[in-house]
Amino acid sequence: MISPWDRWYTTSCCLCCHVRTGTIILGVWYMLINAVVLLILLSALNDPVQYHYHLTSAELGTDFDVMDDANMCIAAAISLLMILICGMATYGAYKQHAAWIIPFFCYQVFDFALNTLVAISVVVYPNTVQDYLQQLPGTFPYKEDIMSTNNVCLVFAVLVFVGCILAFKAYLIACVWNCYRYVSGRGSTEVLVYVTTNDTAVLLPPYEEAIAIPPKEPPPQYVPA
């Protein structure tokens, strides 16, 4: 009987590229995003006056809380950690080290769980969507039109949007998991071949002795009676 893990196992992703290539591209993409976020946070820490001005200006509204230096340092540390995790996944997929891919896979599962909790909270507390819209600044595009929409339709649209995101994240998780299985499977095969080769070299006689066939004795001469 085929297990569910083996049934969904494949070595290709996005219908064209290998799971190793897909994992490398995904790791580089995440590294670029987190590098941009880290650059913005470091720029804000370097010039706090301009940063606070942009957040507290009347164009953005007054409902948003200004991040202090401690929270920004924490956010910068998280971005740096994410760059390290994504770099490990990229290196592990490129050099075929399965253990280096595990932290990135765990991050993907954690992020998927958080987004699932968001979807559940929208279903359980549908009024949170309206509360979130009220906190948006007055200059937000189409704010009044969105708030005037029926609450059921609004919740349904949010659930469809979150569902599409969850489906896409689940597909990426499956790609990284298949890459981990592929790399770990190749490592196990190489170790098995190495051990088998060594055992064969110990158990079998040397090659020269193995191919040296002793000459056959001639049949006895026929002696007439």
Side-chain angles (χ1 to χ4, degrees):
M1 182 177 180
I2 302 176
S3 63
W5 296 109
D6 295 332
R7 186 177 299 134
W8 293 102
Y9 174 70
T10 179
T11 57
S12 62
C13 63
C14 300
L15 304 178
C16 59
C17 63
H18 198 272
V19 287
R20 281 185 60 211
T21 307
T23 303
I24 292 172
I25 294 174
L26 186 62
V28 172
W29 173 251
Y30 271 80
M31 276 196 297
L32 291 176
I33 293 177
N34 286 278
V36 171
V37 173
L38 181 62
L39 183 62
I40 294 174
L41 292 174
L42 293 178
S43 300
L45 286 173
N46 189 32
D47 193 0
V49 176
Q50 183 179 3
Y51 175 75
H52 286 292
Y53 169 75
H54 283 296
L55 281 181
T56 58
S57 62
E59 296 179 356
L60 294 179
T62 58
D63 294 330
F64 290 96
D65 295 330
V66 178
M67 293 179 61
D68 55 4
D69 292 342
N71 292 331
M72 292 185 62
C73 289
I74 294 174
I78 293 175
S79 298
L80 187 61
L81 179 62
M82 284 303 307
I83 293 175
L84 178 62
I85 292 175
C86 298
M88 289 174 60
T90 305
Y91 178 81
Y94 180 73
K95 292 293 186 180
Q96 299 189 20
H97 298 311
W100 291 65
I101 307 176
I102 295 178
F104 184 68
F105 175 76
C106 294
Y107 158 73
Q108 284 186 302
V109 174
F110 179 73
D111 182 61
F112 183 84
L114 287 182
N115 285 272
T116 305
L117 290 178
V118 170
I120 295 175
S121 66
V122 171
V123 174
V124 177
Y125 304 103
N127 293 327
T128 55
V129 179
Q130 291 288 346
D131 296 338
Y132 176 77
L133 291 175
Q134 291 176 359
Q135 295 178 2
L136 294 175
T139 56
F140 188 82
Y142 306 107
K143 176 183 177 181
E144 298 298 332
D145 297 336
I146 297 175
M147 292 187 64
S148 61
T149 308
N150 187 10
N151 193 26
V152 177
C153 297
L154 193 61
V155 170
F156 178 76
V158 172
L159 287 178
V160 170
F161 178 73
V162 175
C164 293
I165 293 177
L166 288 177
F168 182 68
K169 288 181 178 293
Y171 182 75
L172 295 181
I173 291 174
C175 292
V176 175
W177 174 250
N178 288 333
C179 177
Y180 169 77
R181 292 190 60 186
Y182 172 79
V183 173
S184 60
R186 281 183 61 89
S188 301
T189 304
E190 290 176 1
V191 172
L192 183 60
V193 170
Y194 177 75
V195 173
T196 305
T197 305
N198 283 353
D199 292 341
T200 306
V202 172
L203 295 177
L204 292 179
Y207 179 74
E208 291 79 5
E209 297 181 7
I211 63 174
I213 301 175
K216 293 183 178 180
E217 296 180 0
Q221 262 186 343
Y222 176 73
V223 178

